[in-house]
Amino acid sequence: MSLIENPSSTAEHAHMPQNLTEAKVVFRVLTATCKGVVSKMSMVGVQECQEAMGGVGYIDEPDEPEFNISPLLRAAAVYPIWEGTTNVLASEIVRFLIKGDNLSIFSGWLIRVLSLIRTPYLAGALRQALYSFLCRMTPTRPQTALLADARRIMFTFAWILAGALLALDTERDGDEVAIEIARSWVLLGEGGVGEFVYRDIVKPSIQRGAMSRIIQSWIVRLLGVSNCRLR
């Protein structure tokens, strides 16, 4: 959460939990979420790498082990199983959040994180997503319904938090590539979290035709054309 990378500035730590009670709730949810989401998406990422390399990515090449993607894919397959399957972790998050004041504590922390974002269009889109997300977590909703939606709850929360951290990273560094990544993640509803999210929350908030300057510049470089429009 940028604490290790930026130890010198206290401003960079404003998104960290402020007391022990908040820390226990936040890190309990983050631990299960990180394990569940990263494990699931590692399979997708490694498979994309294998496909991009074609036949070389499929075979085991003893002379060029750096190209051996197949062993990585086999190894990644166990991550969503060991130390808690995806469903078990997602259900654990739901049960924990609806217990006592945990949801109130956790949502208070997440609202504070979003309040740190200075870019209006990123902050606005993420606040709207969080509001819709919390409406799904209402205490009046039956626990059975929440557990049935546990995967969507976990992956949607992960998308919101990742978007917030990307936005904060962008504002700190001002890097053009980081800006485009945050913009695509938040405003176009991207991020590779698959079908598990609430699609009425994780969705494009701008038209895909509204192409950013950096994408236009790369298309011009690659294709040698100008006045490109994304259709």
Side-chain angles (χ1 to χ4, degrees), residues 207-211 215-216 219 225-231:
Q207 293 184 354
R208 289 185 175 270
M211 189 191 305
I215 292 181
Q216 289 179 344
I219 291 180
V225 296
S226 59
N227 298 322
C228 298
R229 296 188 65 185
L230 187 63
R231 300 186 184 277

Side-chain angles (χ1 to χ4, degrees), residues 7-215:
S8 59
S9 174
T10 56
E12 305 295 347
H13 305 163
H15 59 295
M16 297 295 290
Q18 295 183 338
N19 54 63
L20 182 59
T21 300
E22 190 175 65
K24 287 181 177 179
V25 172
V26 169
F27 289 122
R28 174 76 175 272
V29 176
L30 289 184
T31 300
T33 300
C34 289
K35 196 278 179 182
V37 173
V38 172
S39 296
K40 199 69 174 177
M41 299 317 300
S42 67
M43 285 288 297
V44 178
V46 175
Q47 190 173 31
E48 286 294 323
C49 292
Q50 185 185 52
E51 184 177 336
M53 296 183 68
V56 175
Y58 179 76
I59 63 175
D60 289 337
E61 177 54 66
D63 296 329
E64 297 178 302
E66 64 272 16
F67 295 129
N68 289 350
I69 304 298
S70 292
L72 296 179
L73 184 61
R74 290 194 295 270
V78 78
Y79 297 154
I81 301 172
W82 279 356
E83 299 298 330
T85 65
T86 306
N87 283 341
V88 168
L89 292 169
S91 299
E92 162 65 16
I93 290 172
V94 169
R95 290 191 177 95
F96 178 73
L97 284 176
I98 63 177
K99 182 179 180 181
D101 295 330
N102 290 342
L103 180 58
S104 176
I105 294 171
F106 183 76
S107 60
W109 168 77
L110 196 49
I111 290 170
R112 190 174 74 248
V113 171
L114 296 188
S115 71
L116 300 173
I117 302 173
R118 302 187 305 273
T119 308
Y121 60 86
L122 294 177
L126 288 170
R127 279 197 297 266
Q128 180 59 49
L130 177 59
Y131 173 77
S132 300
F133 173 75
L134 292 177
C135 287
R136 299 293 180 90
M137 295 291 294
T138 175
T140 59
R141 193 178 179 195
Q143 180 176 339
T144 53
L146 289 171
L147 289 173
D149 268 359
R151 279 200 182 201
R152 291 188 180 92
I153 290 171
M154 181 176 71
F155 278 85
T156 301
F157 154 66
W159 179 84
I160 294 171
L161 179 59
L165 295 180
L166 285 171
L168 292 172
D169 178 70
T170 293
E171 293 174 349
R172 183 188 65 225
D173 298 339
D175 179 75
E176 193 174 41
V177 174
I179 293 172
E180 180 55 34
I181 292 173
R183 182 181 182 277
S184 296
W185 185 284
V186 176
L187 301 184
L188 296 181
E190 295 181 353
V193 289
E195 75 278 13
F196 305 119
V197 297
Y198 288 116
R199 276 300 166 192
D200 59 332
I201 297 177
V202 181
K203 62 181 181 180
S205 56
I206 61 171
Q207 293 184 354
R208 289 185 175 270
M211 189 191 305
S212 67
R213 180 172 57 85
I214 189 171
I215 292 181

